[in-house]
Amino acid sequence: MNTAKVRVSLNHIIASYISKLSSYTDDIFQLTPPISGWSYSEVYVHIFDASLLSLIAMDNSITGKGKKQATHFMVKLILLLGSLPPAKKYEAPKILADRVRKISKTEAMDFIMEFETALEKYYPKIATADLQLKTKHPRLGYLNAKQWFRFIEIHLKHHLKQLERIEKSFKG
């Protein structure tokens, strides 16, 4: 896995989130979509909160707080292919779902900026990570620093698709 390519991809993905955020009105940002589920606001809280937590888990792997555990084959395949298996609806783990709330567009932008700052802080550390040390993901099991980094990219892409589904539902 080429972390430099993942970093470039993350820059493009973050730019997409910022572009989409600027296109939503304040009212629609808070509104539960016709397909029900999370509003745009709640998606932004989830994705950037989970991404920040993922960076912390990644850093724990880097700083020696991880364990030497195996990564399941299916998880390795997800990371290799760069996407979650299709045609499956994923529920956020309860620990993350309980953190979801509605926020303003300004707060969402602050969340994005906080994530970008943390990304700048943690990204250079990946190169020195012991790939045997892993920390537990709530669904995927144990991931090392590079795997956490790749997961962040996959998760951010996954929720961009969710935003597109919400957009389509508002258009009728």
Side-chain angles (χ1 to χ4, degrees):
M1 167 187 344
N2 184 328
T3 56
K5 285 184 180 179
V6 173
R7 183 66 179 101
V8 169
S9 174
L10 284 172
N11 288 340
H12 292 294
I13 294 167
I14 293 165
S16 293
Y17 274 96
I18 292 170
S19 175
K20 285 182 176 299
L21 180 62
S22 67
S23 73
Y24 307 137
T25 66
D26 290 335
D27 290 338
I28 205 159
F29 189 66
Q30 301 286 330
L31 198 60
T32 299
I35 56 173
S36 66
W38 286 343
S39 65
Y40 293 123
S41 171
E42 291 162 316
V43 172
Y44 273 78
V45 166
H46 167 71
I47 193 57
F48 287 101
D49 184 44
S51 294
L52 283 163
L53 292 172
S54 294
L55 286 173
I56 292 167
M58 182 183 85
D59 190 54
N60 286 338
S61 296
I62 294 167
T63 57
K65 297 175 188 152
K67 297 179 181 181
K68 292 187 177 186
Q69 297 283 334
T71 301
H72 296 288
F73 173 76
M74 284 303 296
V75 174
K76 288 180 182 179
L77 190 59
I78 288 168
L79 296 171
L80 176 69
L81 297 176
S83 68
L84 298 170
K88 182 175 182 193
K89 180 162 170 61
Y90 297 92
E91 295 289 327
K94 182 171 175 22
I95 193 166
L96 294 176
D98 288 348
R99 297 168 65 100
V100 171
R101 64 195 186 286
K102 290 189 177 183
I103 60 173
S104 70
K105 287 176 55 176
T106 300
E107 290 169 308
M109 190 58 168
D110 290 345
F111 235 145
I112 293 169
M113 302 314 278
E114 182 181 354
F115 172 69
E116 285 186 308
T117 300
L119 189 59
E120 288 300 317
K121 175 184 175 183
Y122 294 125
Y123 172 68
K125 297 179 179 185
I126 297 171
T128 62
D130 178 346
L131 299 182
Q132 298 302 312
L133 293 179
K134 301 174 184 179
T135 51
K136 192 166 183 0
H137 181 278
R139 292 261 197 262
L140 301 178
Y142 286 86
L143 304 175
N144 66 34
K146 284 186 176 183
Q147 292 168 331
W148 273 107
F149 193 60
R150 176 72 162 150
F151 168 75
I152 292 167
E153 176 195 27
I154 292 166
H155 192 223
L156 282 163
K157 277 194 226 175
H158 171 76
H159 283 286
L160 271 179
K161 293 176 188 170
Q162 181 182 10
L163 292 176
E164 290 166 10
R165 288 190 304 272
I166 293 169
E167 288 166 9
K168 286 179 185 174
S169 79
F170 278 119
K171 292 177 183 171

